[in-house]
Amino acid sequence: MNALSASIDAPITGLIGPNGAGKTTLLNVLSGFITPTAGRVTIDDHDIARLATHRRSAFGIRRTFQTEQVVLNLSVWDNVAGMLDHVPYGMRSRNDVIADALRYAGLSDRAHQMGGALAMSDRRMVEIARCIVGAPKIIMMDEPGAGLSESESDFMRQTIVGIPKFCGAQVLLVDHDVDLISATCAKTLVLDFGTMIAYGPVGETLKDPKVRAAYLGESA
């Protein structure tokens, strides 16, 4: 990353750019997998740049991955329940918190199905269910729509759009699907070679000549 500075304030923000632009690197910095050599990373006025990786989930930082991190030999219920071993979840009962997350993610009827028996789209939803329990502040999604059918993509889009209302978290969404970004995000941050080339409302940003040249392959 090269002198990236942005204040992400929209309920859902897109993060786009060509391959190698630094999108996953930025998520890794926010997740704590990479420690920046300089600068600050603040959430709710707390500088989390040096916060230990294992403490970030409890602080409210959550993430899905391009390759789903579902435990195959645990049930859907237990995959989500395991998250609550590491994060606070208020005064509500553990079972109610889990049940609400599964209901929101459309997984109530698969609660006792093993992770290894799930279709790819359901594994993606298990990851989202894990992210929305226990007072998250920011949920980062790394290409959640990749490889989904049209109907699965529609449900994913509806799920993402509703996350801020469901649990109060902001969403940072990485995806190559411009239609998904346009349908879900209020603002978009565009990277190229580790540098921010545009940031602002989605419609305006996608029309920016620098963005169209770098991301859409059009002449500037």
mmCIF file with all atom_site columns, all heavy atoms in Angstrom, residues 67-92:
data_model
loop_
_atom_site.group_PDB
_atom_site.id
_atom_site.type_symbol
_atom_site.label_atom_id
_atom_site.label_alt_id
_atom_site.label_comp_id
_atom_site.label_asym_id
_atom_site.label_entity_id
_atom_site.label_seq_id
_atom_site.pdbx_PDB_ins_code
_atom_site.Cartn_x
_atom_site.Cartn_y
_atom_site.Cartn_z
_atom_site.occupancy
_atom_site.B_iso_or_equiv
_atom_site.pdbx_formal_charge
_atom_site.auth_seq_id
_atom_site.auth_comp_id
_atom_site.auth_asym_id
_atom_site.auth_atom_id
_atom_site.pdbx_PDB_model_num
ATOM 1   N N   . THR A 1 67 ? -11.849 -18.201 -0.114 1.00 0.00 ? 67 THR A N   1
ATOM 2   C CA  . THR A 1 67 ? -12.061 -19.621 0.141  1.00 0.00 ? 67 THR A CA  1
ATOM 3   C C   . THR A 1 67 ? -12.713 -19.750 1.512  1.00 0.00 ? 67 THR A C   1
ATOM 4   O O   . THR A 1 67 ? -12.145 -19.336 2.516  1.00 0.00 ? 67 THR A O   1
ATOM 5   C CB  . THR A 1 67 ? -10.728 -20.400 0.129  1.00 0.00 ? 67 THR A CB  1
ATOM 6   O OG1 . THR A 1 67 ? -10.083 -20.210 -1.138 1.00 0.00 ? 67 THR A OG1 1
ATOM 7   C CG2 . THR A 1 67 ? -10.970 -21.879 0.362  1.00 0.00 ? 67 THR A CG2 1
ATOM 8   N N   . GLU A 1 68 ? -13.924 -20.300 1.551  1.00 0.00 ? 68 GLU A N   1
ATOM 9   C CA  . GLU A 1 68 ? -14.720 -20.293 2.778  1.00 0.00 ? 68 GLU A CA  1
ATOM 10  C C   . GLU A 1 68 ? -13.995 -21.017 3.919  1.00 0.00 ? 68 GLU A C   1
ATOM 11  O O   . GLU A 1 68 ? -13.434 -22.092 3.723  1.00 0.00 ? 68 GLU A O   1
ATOM 12  C CB  . GLU A 1 68 ? -16.084 -20.968 2.547  1.00 0.00 ? 68 GLU A CB  1
ATOM 13  C CG  . GLU A 1 68 ? -16.871 -20.425 1.363  1.00 0.00 ? 68 GLU A CG  1
ATOM 14  C CD  . GLU A 1 68 ? -16.489 -21.099 0.054  1.00 0.00 ? 68 GLU A CD  1
ATOM 15  O OE1 . GLU A 1 68 ? -16.035 -22.256 0.066  1.00 0.00 ? 68 GLU A OE1 1
ATOM 16  O OE2 . GLU A 1 68 ? -16.612 -20.437 -0.990 1.00 0.00 ? 68 GLU A OE2 1
ATOM 17  N N   . GLN A 1 69 ? -14.030 -20.406 5.095  1.00 0.00 ? 69 GLN A N   1
ATOM 18  C CA  . GLN A 1 69 ? -13.359 -20.959 6.271  1.00 0.00 ? 69 GLN A CA  1
ATOM 19  C C   . GLN A 1 69 ? -14.362 -21.681 7.183  1.00 0.00 ? 69 GLN A C   1
ATOM 20  O O   . GLN A 1 69 ? -14.384 -21.473 8.396  1.00 0.00 ? 69 GLN A O   1
ATOM 21  C CB  . GLN A 1 69 ? -12.655 -19.837 7.037  1.00 0.00 ? 69 GLN A CB  1
ATOM 22  C CG  . GLN A 1 69 ? -11.689 -19.022 6.196  1.00 0.00 ? 69 GLN A CG  1
ATOM 23  C CD  . GLN A 1 69 ? -10.506 -19.841 5.703  1.00 0.00 ? 69 GLN A CD  1
ATOM 24  O OE1 . GLN A 1 69 ? -9.773  -20.415 6.494  1.00 0.00 ? 69 GLN A OE1 1
ATOM 25  N NE2 . GLN A 1 69 ? -10.329 -19.896 4.389  1.00 0.00 ? 69 GLN A NE2 1
ATOM 26  N N   . VAL A 1 70 ? -15.199 -22.520 6.616  1.00 0.00 ? 70 VAL A N   1
ATOM 27  C CA  . VAL A 1 70 ? -16.192 -23.271 7.377  1.00 0.00 ? 70 VAL A CA  1
ATOM 28  C C   . VAL A 1 70 ? -15.552 -24.563 7.880  1.00 0.00 ? 70 VAL A C   1
ATOM 29  O O   . VAL A 1 70 ? -14.843 -25.254 7.140  1.00 0.00 ? 70 VAL A O   1
ATOM 30  C CB  . VAL A 1 70 ? -17.427 -23.585 6.503  1.00 0.00 ? 70 VAL A CB  1
ATOM 31  C CG1 . VAL A 1 70 ? -18.389 -24.515 7.228  1.00 0.00 ? 70 VAL A CG1 1
ATOM 32  C CG2 . VAL A 1 70 ? -18.130 -22.292 6.094  1.00 0.00 ? 70 VAL A CG2 1
ATOM 33  N N   . VAL A 1 71 ? -15.794 -24.887 9.147  1.00 0.00 ? 71 VAL A N   1
ATOM 34  C CA  . VAL A 1 71 ? -15.265 -26.131 9.707  1.00 0.00 ? 71 VAL A CA  1
ATOM 35  C C   . VAL A 1 71 ? -16.136 -27.279 9.212  1.00 0.00 ? 71 VAL A C   1
ATOM 36  O O   . VAL A 1 71 ? -17.332 -27.359 9.549  1.00 0.00 ? 71 VAL A O   1
ATOM 37  C CB  . VAL A 1 71 ? -15.244 -26.093 11.245 1.00 0.00 ? 71 VAL A CB  1
ATOM 38  C CG1 . VAL A 1 71 ? -14.645 -27.381 11.807 1.00 0.00 ? 71 VAL A CG1 1
ATOM 39  C CG2 . VAL A 1 71 ? -14.436 -24.884 11.736 1.00 0.00 ? 71 VAL A CG2 1
ATOM 40  N N   . LEU A 1 72 ? -15.565 -28.157 8.432  1.00 0.00 ? 72 LEU A N   1
ATOM 41  C CA  . LEU A 1 72 ? -16.351 -29.159 7.709  1.00 0.00 ? 72 LEU A CA  1
ATOM 42  C C   . LEU A 1 72 ? -16.956 -30.220 8.619  1.00 0.00 ? 72 LEU A C   1
ATOM 43  O O   . LEU A 1 72 ? -18.020 -30.764 8.313  1.00 0.00 ? 72 LEU A O   1
ATOM 44  C CB  . LEU A 1 72 ? -15.484 -29.828 6.638  1.00 0.00 ? 72 LEU A CB  1
ATOM 45  C CG  . LEU A 1 72 ? -14.859 -28.881 5.603  1.00 0.00 ? 72 LEU A CG  1
ATOM 46  C CD1 . LEU A 1 72 ? -14.077 -29.687 4.568  1.00 0.00 ? 72 LEU A CD1 1
ATOM 47  C CD2 . LEU A 1 72 ? -15.912 -28.011 4.928  1.00 0.00 ? 72 LEU A CD2 1
ATOM 48  N N   . ASN A 1 73 ? -16.304 -30.512 9.745  1.00 0.00 ? 73 ASN A N   1
ATOM 49  C CA  . ASN A 1 73 ? -16.812 -31.571 10.625 1.00 0.00 ? 73 ASN A CA  1
ATOM 50  C C   . ASN A 1 73 ? -17.619 -31.028 11.800 1.00 0.00 ? 73 ASN A C   1
ATOM 51  O O   . ASN A 1 73 ? -17.835 -31.724 12.790 1.00 0.00 ? 73 ASN A O   1
ATOM 52  C CB  . ASN A 1 73 ? -15.670 -32.458 11.122 1.00 0.00 ? 73 ASN A CB  1
ATOM 53  C CG  . ASN A 1 73 ? -14.638 -31.688 11.948 1.00 0.00 ? 73 ASN A CG  1
ATOM 54  O OD1 . ASN A 1 73 ? -14.679 -30.460 11.997 1.00 0.00 ? 73 ASN A OD1 1
ATOM 55  N ND2 . ASN A 1 73 ? -13.733 -32.405 12.584 1.00 0.00 ? 73 ASN A ND2 1
ATOM 56  N N   . LEU A 1 74 ? -18.067 -29.776 11.682 1.00 0.00 ? 74 LEU A N   1
ATOM 57  C CA  . LEU A 1 74 ? -19.003 -29.194 12.644 1.00 0.00 ? 74 LEU A CA  1
ATOM 58  C C   . LEU A 1 74 ? -20.304 -28.847 11.941 1.00 0.00 ? 74 LEU A C   1
ATOM 59  O O   . LEU A 1 74 ? -20.317 -28.564 10.739 1.00 0.00 ? 74 LEU A O   1
ATOM 60  C CB  . LEU A 1 74 ? -18.421 -27.926 13.279 1.00 0.00 ? 74 LEU A CB  1
ATOM 61  C CG  . LEU A 1 74 ? -17.247 -28.074 14.245 1.00 0.00 ? 74 LEU A CG  1
ATOM 62  C CD1 . LEU A 1 74 ? -16.833 -26.699 14.754 1.00 0.00 ? 74 LEU A CD1 1
ATOM 63  C CD2 . LEU A 1 74 ? -17.592 -28.989 15.407 1.00 0.00 ? 74 LEU A CD2 1
ATOM 64  N N   . SER A 1 75 ? -21.391 -28.846 12.689 1.00 0.00 ? 75 SER A N   1
ATOM 65  C CA  . SER A 1 75 ? -22.672 -28.446 12.126 1.00 0.00 ? 75 SER A CA  1
ATOM 66  C C   . SER A 1 75 ? -22.682 -26.944 11.860 1.00 0.00 ? 75 SER A C   1
ATOM 67  O O   . SER A 1 75 ? -21.831 -26.194 12.361 1.00 0.00 ? 75 SER A O   1
ATOM 68  C CB  . SER A 1 75 ? -23.807 -28.792 13.089 1.00 0.00 ? 75 SER A CB  1
ATOM 69  O OG  . SER A 1 75 ? -23.739 -27.971 14.256 1.00 0.00 ? 75 SER A OG  1
ATOM 70  N N   . VAL A 1 76 ? -23.646 -26.509 11.075 1.00 0.00 ? 76 VAL A N   1
ATOM 71  C CA  . VAL A 1 76 ? -23.824 -25.079 10.821 1.00 0.00 ? 76 VAL A CA  1
ATOM 72  C C   . VAL A 1 76 ? -23.980 -24.331 12.147 1.00 0.00 ? 76 VAL A C   1
ATOM 73  O O   . VAL A 1 76 ? -23.347 -23.290 12.380 1.00 0.00 ? 76 VAL A O   1
ATOM 74  C CB  . VAL A 1 76 ? -25.051 -24.848 9.918  1.00 0.00 ? 76 VAL A CB  1
ATOM 75  C CG1 . VAL A 1 76 ? -25.417 -23.365 9.851  1.00 0.00 ? 76 VAL A CG1 1
ATOM 76  C CG2 . VAL A 1 76 ? -24.787 -25.397 8.510  1.00 0.00 ? 76 VAL A CG2 1
ATOM 77  N N   . TRP A 1 77 ? -24.808 -24.875 13.031 1.00 0.00 ? 77 TRP A N   1
ATOM 78  C CA  . TRP A 1 77 ? -25.027 -24.250 14.340 1.00 0.00 ? 77 TRP A CA  1
ATOM 79  C C   . TRP A 1 77 ? -23.712 -24.103 15.104 1.00 0.00 ? 77 TRP A C   1
ATOM 80  O O   . TRP A 1 77 ? -23.395 -23.028 15.624 1.00 0.00 ? 77 TRP A O   1
ATOM 81  C CB  . TRP A 1 77 ? -26.014 -25.087 15.151 1.00 0.00 ? 77 TRP A CB  1
ATOM 82  C CG  . TRP A 1 77 ? -26.328 -24.524 16.515 1.00 0.00 ? 77 TRP A CG  1
ATOM 83  C CD1 . TRP A 1 77 ? -25.578 -24.639 17.655 1.00 0.00 ? 77 TRP A CD1 1
ATOM 84  C CD2 . TRP A 1 77 ? -27.472 -23.734 16.868 1.00 0.00 ? 77 TRP A CD2 1
ATOM 85  N NE1 . TRP A 1 77 ? -26.183 -23.987 18.702 1.00 0.00 ? 77 TRP A NE1 1
ATOM 86  C CE2 . TRP A 1 77 ? -27.345 -23.424 18.251 1.00 0.00 ? 77 TRP A CE2 1
ATOM 87  C CE3 . TRP A 1 77 ? -28.597 -23.280 16.180 1.00 0.00 ? 77 TRP A CE3 1
ATOM 88  C CZ2 . TRP A 1 77 ? -28.302 -22.669 18.934 1.00 0.00 ? 77 TRP A CZ2 1
ATOM 89  C CZ3 . TRP A 1 77 ? -29.542 -22.531 16.861 1.00 0.00 ? 77 TRP A CZ3 1
ATOM 90  C CH2 . TRP A 1 77 ? -29.399 -22.236 18.217 1.00 0.00 ? 77 TRP A CH2 1
ATOM 91  N N   . ASP A 1 78 ? -22.920 -25.180 15.135 1.00 0.00 ? 78 ASP A N   1
ATOM 92  C CA  . ASP A 1 78 ? -21.681 -25.149 15.905 1.00 0.00 ? 78 ASP A CA  1
ATOM 93  C C   . ASP A 1 78 ? -20.623 -24.264 15.257 1.00 0.00 ? 78 ASP A C   1
ATOM 94  O O   . ASP A 1 78 ? -19.777 -23.692 15.947 1.00 0.00 ? 78 ASP A O   1
ATOM 95  C CB  . ASP A 1 78 ? -21.144 -26.561 16.095 1.00 0.00 ? 78 ASP A CB  1
ATOM 96  C CG  . ASP A 1 78 ? -21.967 -27.363 17.094 1.00 0.00 ? 78 ASP A CG  1
ATOM 97  O OD1 . ASP A 1 78 ? -22.648 -26.745 17.924 1.00 0.00 ? 78 ASP A OD1 1
ATOM 98  O OD2 . ASP A 1 78 ? -21.934 -28.611 17.036 1.00 0.00 ? 78 ASP A OD2 1
ATOM 99  N N   . ASN A 1 79 ? -20.655 -24.128 13.924 1.00 0.00 ? 79 ASN A N   1
ATOM 100 C CA  . ASN A 1 79 ? -19.754 -23.194 13.260 1.00 0.00 ? 79 ASN A CA  1
ATOM 101 C C   . ASN A 1 79 ? -19.998 -21.774 13.741 1.00 0.00 ? 79 ASN A C   1
ATOM 102 O O   . ASN A 1 79 ? -19.051 -21.029 13.995 1.00 0.00 ? 79 ASN A O   1
ATOM 103 C CB  . ASN A 1 79 ? -19.933 -23.267 11.741 1.00 0.00 ? 79 ASN A CB  1
ATOM 104 C CG  . ASN A 1 79 ? -18.931 -24.170 11.052 1.00 0.00 ? 79 ASN A CG  1
ATOM 105 O OD1 . ASN A 1 79 ? -17.803 -23.776 10.771 1.00 0.00 ? 79 ASN A OD1 1
ATOM 106 N ND2 . ASN A 1 79 ? -19.351 -25.412 10.793 1.00 0.00 ? 79 ASN A ND2 1
ATOM 107 N N   . VAL A 1 80 ? -21.264 -21.410 13.874 1.00 0.00 ? 80 VAL A N   1
ATOM 108 C CA  . VAL A 1 80 ? -21.596 -20.064 14.339 1.00 0.00 ? 80 VAL A CA  1
ATOM 109 C C   . VAL A 1 80 ? -21.364 -19.944 15.846 1.00 0.00 ? 80 VAL A C   1
ATOM 110 O O   . VAL A 1 80 ? -20.842 -18.935 16.335 1.00 0.00 ? 80 VAL A O   1
ATOM 111 C CB  . VAL A 1 80 ? -23.051 -19.702 13.974 1.00 0.00 ? 80 VAL A CB  1
ATOM 112 C CG1 . VAL A 1 80 ? -23.422 -18.313 14.507 1.00 0.00 ? 80 VAL A CG1 1
ATOM 113 C CG2 . VAL A 1 80 ? -23.239 -19.759 12.455 1.00 0.00 ? 80 VAL A CG2 1
ATOM 114 N N   . ALA A 1 81 ? -21.742 -20.987 16.588 1.00 0.00 ? 81 ALA A N   1
ATOM 115 C CA  . ALA A 1 81 ? -21.559 -20.972 18.041 1.00 0.00 ? 81 ALA A CA  1
ATOM 116 C C   . ALA A 1 81 ? -20.096 -20.780 18.417 1.00 0.00 ? 81 ALA A C   1
ATOM 117 O O   . ALA A 1 81 ? -19.777 -20.102 19.404 1.00 0.00 ? 81 ALA A O   1
ATOM 118 C CB  . ALA A 1 81 ? -22.090 -22.267 18.645 1.00 0.00 ? 81 ALA A CB  1
ATOM 119 N N   . GLY A 1 82 ? -19.189 -21.362 17.631 1.00 0.00 ? 82 GLY A N   1
ATOM 120 C CA  . GLY A 1 82 ? -17.767 -21.230 17.927 1.00 0.00 ? 82 GLY A CA  1
ATOM 121 C C   . GLY A 1 82 ? -17.296 -19.789 17.918 1.00 0.00 ? 82 GLY A C   1
ATOM 122 O O   . GLY A 1 82 ? -16.366 -19.427 18.658 1.00 0.00 ? 82 GLY A O   1
ATOM 123 N N   . MET A 1 83 ? -17.936 -18.950 17.115 1.00 0.00 ? 83 MET A N   1
ATOM 124 C CA  . MET A 1 83 ? -17.561 -17.540 17.070 1.00 0.00 ? 83 MET A CA  1
ATOM 125 C C   . MET A 1 83 ? -17.837 -16.864 18.405 1.00 0.00 ? 83 MET A C   1
ATOM 126 O O   . MET A 1 83 ? -17.084 -15.984 18.842 1.00 0.00 ? 83 MET A O   1
ATOM 127 C CB  . MET A 1 83 ? -18.346 -16.839 15.955 1.00 0.00 ? 83 MET A CB  1
ATOM 128 C CG  . MET A 1 83 ? -17.880 -15.432 15.657 1.00 0.00 ? 83 MET A CG  1
ATOM 129 S SD  . MET A 1 83 ? -16.233 -15.461 14.917 1.00 0.00 ? 83 MET A SD  1
ATOM 130 C CE  . MET A 1 83 ? -15.927 -13.703 14.783 1.00 0.00 ? 83 MET A CE  1
ATOM 131 N N   . LEU A 1 84 ? -18.896 -17.291 19.077 1.00 0.00 ? 84 LEU A N   1
ATOM 132 C CA  . LEU A 1 84 ? -19.282 -16.648 20.332 1.00 0.00 ? 84 LEU A CA  1
ATOM 133 C C   . LEU A 1 84 ? -18.357 -17.018 21.486 1.00 0.00 ? 84 LEU A C   1
ATOM 134 O O   . LEU A 1 84 ? -18.482 -16.449 22.576 1.00 0.00 ? 84 LEU A O   1
ATOM 135 C CB  . LEU A 1 84 ? -20.733 -17.005 20.683 1.00 0.00 ? 84 LEU A CB  1
ATOM 136 C CG  . LEU A 1 84 ? -21.789 -16.466 19.720 1.00 0.00 ? 84 LEU A CG  1
ATOM 137 C CD1 . LEU A 1 84 ? -23.186 -16.837 20.199 1.00 0.00 ? 84 LEU A CD1 1
ATOM 138 C CD2 . LEU A 1 84 ? -21.671 -14.970 19.548 1.00 0.00 ? 84 LEU A CD2 1
ATOM 139 N N   . ASP A 1 85 ? -17.445 -17.945 21.243 1.00 0.00 ? 85 ASP A N   1
ATOM 140 C CA  . ASP A 1 85 ? -16.434 -18.237 22.264 1.00 0.00 ? 85 ASP A CA  1
ATOM 141 C C   . ASP A 1 85 ? -15.402 -17.124 22.359 1.00 0.00 ? 85 ASP A C   1
ATOM 142 O O   . ASP A 1 85 ? -14.656 -17.047 23.330 1.00 0.00 ? 85 ASP A O   1
ATOM 143 C CB  . ASP A 1 85 ? -15.699 -19.547 21.943 1.00 0.00 ? 85 ASP A CB  1
ATOM 144 C CG  . ASP A 1 85 ? -16.605 -20.769 22.048 1.00 0.00 ? 85 ASP A CG  1
ATOM 145 O OD1 . ASP A 1 85 ? -17.629 -20.683 22.757 1.00 0.00 ? 85 ASP A OD1 1
ATOM 146 O OD2 . ASP A 1 85 ? -16.292 -21.799 21.413 1.00 0.00 ? 85 ASP A OD2 1
ATOM 147 N N   . HIS A 1 86 ? -15.385 -16.247 21.349 1.00 0.00 ? 86 HIS A N   1
ATOM 148 C CA  . HIS A 1 86 ? -14.321 -15.248 21.258 1.00 0.00 ? 86 HIS A CA  1
ATOM 149 C C   . HIS A 1 86 ? -14.825 -13.814 21.250 1.00 0.00 ? 86 HIS A C   1
ATOM 150 O O   . HIS A 1 86 ? -14.008 -12.886 21.279 1.00 0.00 ? 86 HIS A O   1
ATOM 151 C CB  . HIS A 1 86 ? -13.497 -15.478 19.980 1.00 0.00 ? 86 HIS A CB  1
ATOM 152 C CG  . HIS A 1 86 ? -13.030 -16.895 19.820 1.00 0.00 ? 86 HIS A CG  1
ATOM 153 N ND1 . HIS A 1 86 ? -12.006 -17.426 20.583 1.00 0.00 ? 86 HIS A ND1 1
ATOM 154 C CD2 . HIS A 1 86 ? -13.465 -17.891 19.007 1.00 0.00 ? 86 HIS A CD2 1
ATOM 155 C CE1 . HIS A 1 86 ? -11.816 -18.688 20.233 1.00 0.00 ? 86 HIS A CE1 1
ATOM 156 N NE2 . HIS A 1 86 ? -12.683 -18.999 19.284 1.00 0.00 ? 86 HIS A NE2 1
ATOM 157 N N   . VAL A 1 87 ? -16.132 -13.614 21.186 1.00 0.00 ? 87 VAL A N   1
ATOM 158 C CA  . VAL A 1 87 ? -16.665 -12.251 21.097 1.00 0.00 ? 87 VAL A CA  1
ATOM 159 C C   . VAL A 1 87 ? -17.782 -12.054 22.125 1.00 0.00 ? 87 VAL A C   1
ATOM 160 O O   . VAL A 1 87 ? -18.486 -13.004 22.485 1.00 0.00 ? 87 VAL A O   1
ATOM 161 C CB  . VAL A 1 87 ? -17.205 -11.952 19.679 1.00 0.00 ? 87 VAL A CB  1
ATOM 162 C CG1 . VAL A 1 87 ? -16.116 -12.143 18.639 1.00 0.00 ? 87 VAL A CG1 1
ATOM 163 C CG2 . VAL A 1 87 ? -18.417 -12.816 19.344 1.00 0.00 ? 87 VAL A CG2 1
ATOM 164 N N   . PRO A 1 88 ? -17.957 -10.822 22.613 1.00 0.00 ? 88 PRO A N   1
ATOM 165 C CA  . PRO A 1 88 ? -19.065 -10.549 23.533 1.00 0.00 ? 88 PRO A CA  1
ATOM 166 C C   . PRO A 1 88 ? -20.390 -10.531 22.777 1.00 0.00 ? 88 PRO A C   1
ATOM 167 O O   . PRO A 1 88 ? -20.429 -10.192 21.600 1.00 0.00 ? 88 PRO A O   1
ATOM 168 C CB  . PRO A 1 88 ? -18.725 -9.154  24.073 1.00 0.00 ? 88 PRO A CB  1
ATOM 169 C CG  . PRO A 1 88 ? -17.935 -8.524  22.985 1.00 0.00 ? 88 PRO A CG  1
ATOM 170 C CD  . PRO A 1 88 ? -17.146 -9.621  22.347 1.00 0.00 ? 88 PRO A CD  1
ATOM 171 N N   . TYR A 1 89 ? -21.460 -10.931 23.445 1.00 0.00 ? 89 TYR A N   1
ATOM 172 C CA  . TYR A 1 89 ? -22.758 -10.918 22.751 1.00 0.00 ? 89 TYR A CA  1
ATOM 173 C C   . TYR A 1 89 ? -23.890 -10.392 23.623 1.00 0.00 ? 89 TYR A C   1
ATOM 174 O O   . TYR A 1 89 ? -25.072 -10.660 23.370 1.00 0.00 ? 89 TYR A O   1
ATOM 175 C CB  . TYR A 1 89 ? -23.105 -12.304 22.185 1.00 0.00 ? 89 TYR A CB  1
ATOM 176 C CG  . TYR A 1 89 ? -23.046 -13.449 23.173 1.00 0.00 ? 89 TYR A CG  1
ATOM 177 C CD1 . TYR A 1 89 ? -24.186 -13.847 23.868 1.00 0.00 ? 89 TYR A CD1 1
ATOM 178 C CD2 . TYR A 1 89 ? -21.862 -14.145 23.373 1.00 0.00 ? 89 TYR A CD2 1
ATOM 179 C CE1 . TYR A 1 89 ? -24.132 -14.914 24.748 1.00 0.00 ? 89 TYR A CE1 1
ATOM 180 C CE2 . TYR A 1 89 ? -21.804 -15.212 24.250 1.00 0.00 ? 89 TYR A CE2 1
ATOM 181 C CZ  . TYR A 1 89 ? -22.942 -15.593 24.943 1.00 0.00 ? 89 TYR A CZ  1
ATOM 182 O OH  . TYR A 1 89 ? -22.894 -16.653 25.812 1.00 0.00 ? 89 TYR A OH  1
ATOM 183 N N   . GLY A 1 90 ? -23.559 -9.590  24.631 1.00 0.00 ? 90 GLY A N   1
ATOM 184 C CA  . GLY A 1 90 ? -24.584 -8.876  25.370 1.00 0.00 ? 90 GLY A CA  1
ATOM 185 C C   . GLY A 1 90 ? -25.365 -9.761  26.321 1.00 0.00 ? 90 GLY A C   1
ATOM 186 O O   . GLY A 1 90 ? -24.904 -10.824 26.749 1.00 0.00 ? 90 GLY A O   1
ATOM 187 N N   . MET A 1 91 ? -26.581 -9.316  26.633 1.00 0.00 ? 91 MET A N   1
ATOM 188 C CA  . MET A 1 91 ? -27.400 -9.974  27.649 1.00 0.00 ? 91 MET A CA  1
ATOM 189 C C   . MET A 1 91 ? -28.317 -11.050 27.081 1.00 0.00 ? 91 MET A C   1
ATOM 190 O O   . MET A 1 91 ? -28.953 -11.774 27.830 1.00 0.00 ? 91 MET A O   1
ATOM 191 C CB  . MET A 1 91 ? -28.240 -8.924  28.383 1.00 0.00 ? 91 MET A CB  1
ATOM 192 C CG  . MET A 1 91 ? -27.433 -7.833  29.077 1.00 0.00 ? 91 MET A CG  1
ATOM 193 S SD  . MET A 1 91 ? -26.331 -8.508  30.343 1.00 0.00 ? 91 MET A SD  1
ATOM 194 C CE  . MET A 1 91 ? -27.544 -9.102  31.533 1.00 0.00 ? 91 MET A CE  1
ATOM 195 N N   . ARG A 1 92 ? -28.416 -11.138 25.762 1.00 0.00 ? 92 ARG A N   1
ATOM 196 C CA  . ARG A 1 92 ? -29.301 -12.136 25.169 1.00 0.00 ? 92 ARG A CA  1
ATOM 197 C C   . ARG A 1 92 ? -28.704 -13.525 25.329 1.00 0.00 ? 92 ARG A C   1
ATOM 198 O O   . ARG A 1 92 ? -27.495 -13.699 25.492 1.00 0.00 ? 92 ARG A O   1
ATOM 199 C CB  . ARG A 1 92 ? -29.529 -11.835 23.699 1.00 0.00 ? 92 ARG A CB  1
ATOM 200 C CG  . ARG A 1 92 ? -30.154 -10.469 23.444 1.00 0.00 ? 92 ARG A CG  1
ATOM 201 C CD  . ARG A 1 92 ? -30.341 -10.232 21.959 1.00 0.00 ? 92 ARG A CD  1
ATOM 202 N NE  . ARG A 1 92 ? -31.272 -11.206 21.410 1.00 0.00 ? 92 ARG A NE  1
ATOM 203 C CZ  . ARG A 1 92 ? -31.169 -11.697 20.179 1.00 0.00 ? 92 ARG A CZ  1
ATOM 204 N NH1 . ARG A 1 92 ? -30.180 -11.329 19.390 1.00 0.00 ? 92 ARG A NH1 1
ATOM 205 N NH2 . ARG A 1 92 ? -32.052 -12.570 19.736 1.00 0.00 ? 92 ARG A NH2 1
#
